[in-house]
Amino acid sequence: MGGAASAQLVMALSLPIVTRLYSPEHFGLLAVLAGLVNWIGSLSSLRYDMAITLPSDDVRSANVLALSLVLCTIVAMALAALVTIAPTGIAHSVIRQPGLQPYLWLIPGGVFLLGWYNALLLWSIRKQRFHTLAAARVSQAVLTA
């Protein structure tokens, strides 16, 4: 709980500075990019990551973790191929945000990192490493800001 509260405080304190540096158009592109990464990243492991905490023994849980990480890697590689092959078509036709075309290369990396983060987060919850999770939340908020 302390990690989440500290993360929110860091974000709230950085907001006045960030809003002076970037225009509303930039925030809109960031919102579209973040939305795509969050949506695809959450589905990249085909939601097997949600099953990491369910098995009664660590061997089965580790197997589910490995499956989640492999699936996430495959999805990120497929996205990297798509973004490399047809960036204009994706930006103009699929997403309908031409201003996002220079940043499409961020999507596969973001999906990869988010998928791995989600899987490892649930593994850490299974192992009851809550102090580490709190520190990660605060670090994440500082880096986001």
Side-chain angles (χ1 to χ4, degrees), residues 26-114:
H26 291 124
F27 280 109
L29 289 175
L30 176 63
V32 171
L33 182 69
L36 285 169
V37 169
N38 282 327
W39 182 68
I40 299 169
S42 295
L43 299 175
S44 65
S45 65
L46 303 179
R47 300 310 287 163
Y48 276 105
D49 57 341
M50 298 302 291
I52 291 172
T53 58
L54 297 178
S56 57
D57 63 335
D58 281 347
V59 174
R60 287 185 181 161
S61 184
N63 288 337
V64 175
L65 172 65
L67 176 63
S68 295
L69 297 177
V70 167
L71 288 171
C72 175
T73 303
I74 291 169
V75 168
M77 289 172 60
L79 279 171
L82 283 173
V83 167
T84 302
I85 292 170
T88 305
I90 292 171
H92 290 111
S93 300
V94 177
I95 303 172
R96 295 186 181 160
Q97 293 290 329
L100 200 58
Q101 184 175 345
Y103 308 106
L104 286 179
W105 62 272
L106 293 169
I107 294 174
V111 166
F112 176 78
L113 292 173
L114 182 62

